[in-house]
Amino acid sequence: MDDEKAIKHKGPVVLRRGRNSETSTSDQRLLDQRGPGNWIHTDTWRVLRIQSEFVEGFGALAEVPKAVTVFGSARTPKGHPQYERSRELGKALAEAGFAVITGGGPGVMEGANRGACEADGYSIGLGIELPFEQGLNEWVDLGINFRYFFVRKTMFVKYSQAFVCLPGGFGTLDEMFEALTLVQTGKVTRFPIILLGTEFWSGLIDWIKNTLVAEGTVSPSDLELIHCTDSVEQAVQIIRSTTGEKL
């Protein structure tokens, strides 16, 4: 096989030894008559969608003041003690000068958005496309819906100065442990992670201490990255002191 003929250039991509079977060019595929619509589901097209989500998120949140993200279960009903606690937290954060960011859904997220809104604070919801319809709660002032979890997670970290986790499920645990990993590895600094509700979180804290630390998979000092409390006031104090805010 002729070496030159065996090489195919597709923009910045080089293909050798017959790894390209296309006979048309990118311009031809762009300008030719419309064909099947499944091209919008290819990985290369998804890159543009991902890029657009980052652009939209950065653009919408660029002017947001200092903020705290609140996580917790979407299944918590109105009037439940955890709903009221998240509402109290949203109010306290707003009064302390923080915008409140949540996943924008119902339950604990709604409670935090509601508390911030009722205290004339800035209430933000970052929603996610799910198989079942959820939508943004009515207490969100600024809302963005994302297709991709990892884009949404970037926004939570980039535009927050702390995470507060109330009782929740896999989504709450996912966000909490990802934030812990980022702090542990030095990807983000001065970023308090607060677990609100000692009865709910004590089993997890004990497991980290008695299993992970005991087995040497995390360091004893890693436990210091987590603050666990029942007090909304203390949670806000931890955030203000850790982020350099005057008490």
Side-chain angles (χ1 to χ4, degrees), residues 120-154:
D120 293 323
Y122 201 167
S123 176
I124 300 166
L126 307 183
I128 186 69
E129 181 181 274
L130 295 171
F132 46 89
E133 187 62 37
Q134 181 168 290
L136 297 173
N137 67 69
E138 63 179 303
W139 301 98
V140 169
D141 298 324
L142 169 63
I144 310 170
N145 276 306
F146 293 92
R147 283 189 178 92
Y148 301 101
F149 269 111
F150 59 88
V151 179
R152 180 179 182 240
K153 288 178 178 180
T154 300

Side-chain angles (χ1 to χ4, degrees), residues 82-184:
Q82 296 300 343
Y83 182 97
E84 295 304 324
R85 179 177 282 181
S86 67
R87 186 174 171 185
E88 180 187 353
L89 175 65
K91 178 177 182 291
L93 288 170
E95 290 175 345
F98 293 98
V100 173
I101 302 175
T102 77
V108 166
M109 294 176 281
E110 178 186 303
N113 286 132
R114 180 176 179 177
C117 193
E118 290 174 336
D120 293 323
Y122 201 167
S123 176
I124 300 166
L126 307 183
I128 186 69
E129 181 181 274
L130 295 171
F132 46 89
E133 187 62 37
Q134 181 168 290
L136 297 173
N137 67 69
E138 63 179 303
W139 301 98
V140 169
D141 298 324
L142 169 63
I144 310 170
N145 276 306
F146 293 92
R147 283 189 178 92
Y148 301 101
F149 269 111
F150 59 88
V151 179
R152 180 179 182 240
K153 288 178 178 180
T154 300
M155 302 302 155
F156 281 136
V157 175
K158 180 173 176 59
Y159 293 101
S160 298
Q161 294 191 294
F163 280 179
V164 182
C165 299
L166 281 86
F170 288 152
T172 301
L173 293 172
D174 174 54
E175 299 290 357
M176 182 196 72
F177 278 114
E178 183 152 26
L180 278 171
T181 302
L182 291 173
V183 176
Q184 180 197 47

